[in-house]
Amino acid sequence: MNSFFVRETLDGIGFTTVKTYRFHTSRLSVNLIVPMTRESVTAHALIAFLLRKGCRKYPDFSSLNRHLNTLYGAVLDTDIRRYADSQIVSVTATCINSRFSLSSEDILSDLAELICDLLTEPTALFDEKEIAVEKKVLKETIESVKDDKSAYVIDRLFAAMFAGKPEGIPKYGFAQDLDAIDADVLKRQWENLLKNSRVEIVASGQAVTSRLKDVFAERLCGSHKKAAAPAFLSPREKPVFAEEASDVMQSKIAVGFTVPIAPTDPDFPALQLFNAVFGATTSSRLFLTVREKMNLCYYCSSALVSSLGVLIAYSGVEEQNRKKTVREILHQQRLLAEGTLSEEELQNARGELLTGISSVTDSLAAMENWALGQILQGTDRTPAAEAEQLKRVTVDDVTRAANRLLPHTVFSLIASEESV
């Protein structure tokens, strides 16, 4: 049995318990998972923003907050997550453990009732004034991505790699679609969300009771459809290069590699170590060679996006060093595929990776994210089990994983004439 989390099914709803005694608080996460589509993505994001504004029992933000105060200052939030080609409308709540309340109230179950009220009896979804306010907030959220150029170049890379596919759609949708969304559209999308979502609930902490499970079983229904395994991108013989002029003083680079290694693949731990050796740690090739030794860039790192079968390397550079930096990033991947990794490099990277895994249990949010990630990718590894797998990875294993990577797309943000 998984000692970190336990998942069961409540009439089509996935319910996962993460048991821990380390904290004075408990956390609840309700996740409605639906396919990512251009027609629904922006409306779903707007629904997430509006859900936190009130329900029939607490019809406005003020009355909702007053009720949260009666629950010992519980905190509630809503947001959008994504996994592969799915969009996730997420409602989370945090409260003190019941044993610290005055009369041992079942606070987490009370929060479950509130979340169900917000999901099934929302008020702001039908209030044109509230809709207008949250449209403005969502538009600012969408457009703010462009202000963080390091994040924006990665968004543009994914849009280029997954052009025409759900995986290339931004999780908050499109600002230009907001004008066409009104209360009627939101009502239709909300009804579809409740009817057809895969629902995954994660309860973390000490306060999981039978009443908590009964609340969700009675008030929510989840789709019995299982999500299909994500289809990875087909590799390319040669990478495609694309660029966009932007108001940047420093050019940004994002290099996308296809890597057909799913979390269930025996080579996955080796892929994680490859990412650490390649660019995800301070002992990596991209950091020590491209940034420190060759002095080509301001930063250079890598990240594994296992749900998409993609590994990315990203960097900020002076324009005169941009092409040379791209060449060196590709060169370092080839060197690792040729078997140049040393045992010392592997041990240094492994140490940093294991330190990161050990920190998962430092917060309820991190524990919840771990459990939900395992559920979505179809695995049930604990942090300890993953650490043990990583300890068994050899230099040859990493070399084999490196050979399964192929460069797919290189996207660059370069200075426009106005910003030069």
Side-chain angles (χ1 to χ4, degrees):
M1 180 181 290
N2 191 320
S3 60
F4 186 81
F5 65 88
V6 177
R7 184 178 183 273
E8 56 190 300
T9 302
L10 309 174
D11 191 24
I13 297 172
F15 187 91
T16 299
T17 303
V18 179
K19 197 75 170 179
T20 176
Y21 295 93
R22 294 188 59 190
F23 306 98
H24 293 163
T25 57
S26 293
R27 181 178 170 91
L28 193 59
S29 167
V30 180
N31 302 280
L32 280 62
I33 307 166
V34 288
M36 183 83 75
T37 69
R38 174 64 191 255
E39 294 72 26
S40 64
V41 61
T42 310
H44 287 163
L46 188 56
I47 288 170
F49 279 43
L50 287 162
L51 286 176
R52 59 191 174 201
K53 302 299 286 287
C55 57
R56 183 179 58 81
K57 289 182 182 177
Y58 313 102
D60 54 49
F61 196 62
S62 296
S63 60
L64 177 61
N65 277 337
R66 283 195 297 270
H67 179 61
L68 289 170
N69 286 334
T70 68
L71 299 177
Y72 297 87
V75 177
L76 184 143
D77 198 11
T78 59
D79 204 353
I80 292 291
R81 308 185 193 191
R82 73 170 304 149
Y83 182 84
D85 59 355
S86 295
Q87 186 184 31
I88 305 174
V89 176
S90 182
V91 185
T92 58
T94 305
C95 64
I96 64 168
N97 287 332
S98 296
R99 63 192 178 94
F100 297 112
S101 63
L102 294 176
S103 304
S104 297
E105 297 99 320
D106 190 356
I107 307 170
L108 203 62
S109 295
D110 291 339
L111 278 173
E113 293 277 12
L114 177 59
I115 290 173
C116 290
D117 287 340
L118 292 170
L119 288 171
T120 62
E121 299 175 336
T123 52
L125 264 64
F126 314 108
D127 185 325
E128 293 291 356
K129 183 178 179 181
E130 292 286 4
I131 292 172
V133 170
E134 293 305 318
K135 274 187 178 182
K136 183 178 179 181
V137 174
L138 180 55
K139 183 178 182 180
E140 291 172 352
T141 300
I142 293 170
E143 293 180 343
S144 69
V145 176
K146 292 184 178 181
D147 296 331
D148 182 351
K149 302 303 182 184
S150 299
Y152 179 63
V153 71
I154 295 173
D155 275 6
R156 298 296 295 129
L157 171 69
F158 286 151
M161 292 183 75
F162 294 95
K165 297 177 180 291
E167 293 88 343
I169 299 174
K171 71 174 184 178
Y172 288 115
F174 302 88
Q176 61 266 37
D177 292 354
L178 284 167
D179 288 342
I181 299 176
D182 57 18
D184 289 336
V185 172
L186 288 176
K187 181 176 184 293
R188 186 167 62 251
Q189 293 289 356
W190 164 67
E191 290 173 343
N192 180 68
L193 187 67
L194 291 183
K195 181 180 179 181
N196 297 312
S197 294
R198 172 187 172 186
V199 180
E200 291 289 345
I201 299 168
V202 182
S204 310
Q206 303 171 40
V208 177
T209 63
S210 58
R211 179 194 161 206
L212 176 64
K213 298 177 185 179
D214 290 342
V215 168
F216 290 119
E218 292 169 5
R219 300 198 56 190
L220 294 181
C221 63
S223 169
H224 291 264
K225 297 178 182 177
K226 290 187 177 180
F232 292 157
L233 283 173
S234 299
R236 287 173 171 162
E237 291 186 7
K238 293 182 179 180
V240 169
F241 290 79
E243 59 187 47
E244 177 181 308
S246 183
D247 55 339
V248 292
M249 300 302 293
Q250 177 191 115
S251 296
K252 307 294 182 184
I253 301 165
V255 182
F257 298 84
T258 56
V259 49
I261 302 177
T264 53
D265 191 303
D267 274 345
F268 188 71
L271 175 62
Q272 292 175 292
L273 257 301
F274 167 81
N275 181 47
V277 167
F278 181 51
T281 63
T282 55
S283 61
S284 68
R285 293 282 182 96
L286 297 187
F287 183 86
L288 293 180
T289 301
V290 182
R291 181 184 184 274
E292 296 293 299
K293 182 179 179 181
M294 301 181 71
N295 198 28
L296 285 176
C297 52
Y298 297 99
Y299 63 87
C300 197
S301 189
S302 70
L304 174 62
V305 189
S306 58
S307 65
L308 300 177
V310 167
L311 188 143
I312 60 172
Y314 48 96
S315 182
V317 301
E318 294 292 343
E319 176 58 25
Q320 63 266 27
N321 291 328
R322 177 169 61 91
K323 293 182 179 179
K324 188 175 181 180
T325 302
V326 170
R327 286 195 298 270
E328 191 57 35
I329 289 172
L330 297 173
H331 178 57
Q332 290 301 322
Q333 186 269 327
R334 288 194 301 271
L335 286 177
L336 288 168
E338 291 168 1
T340 62
L341 178 64
S342 70
E343 187 64 36
E344 181 181 3
E345 284 180 291
L346 178 61
Q347 295 301 340
N348 289 338
R350 190 187 341 251
E352 292 195 52
L353 205 54
L354 292 175
T355 298
I357 291 176
S358 68
S359 69
V360 169
T361 55
D362 288 347
S363 75
L364 288 176
M367 295 174 76
E368 172 212 305
N369 286 335
W370 180 280
L372 184 60
Q374 293 292 315
I375 291 162
L376 293 176
Q377 67 189 25
T379 55
D380 65 351
R381 288 189 291 269
T382 66
E386 185 151 304
E388 286 303 315
Q389 287 185 330
L390 291 170
K391 291 176 183 177
R392 294 194 292 268
V393 173
T394 67
V395 167
D396 288 343
D397 293 333
V398 175
T399 300
R400 185 176 63 252
N403 274 281
R404 298 180 69 179
L405 271 74
L406 286 174
H408 185 278
T409 303
V410 178
F411 198 95
S412 301
L413 288 182
I414 61 175
S416 61
E417 293 183 2
E418 292 79 4
S419 59
V420 173

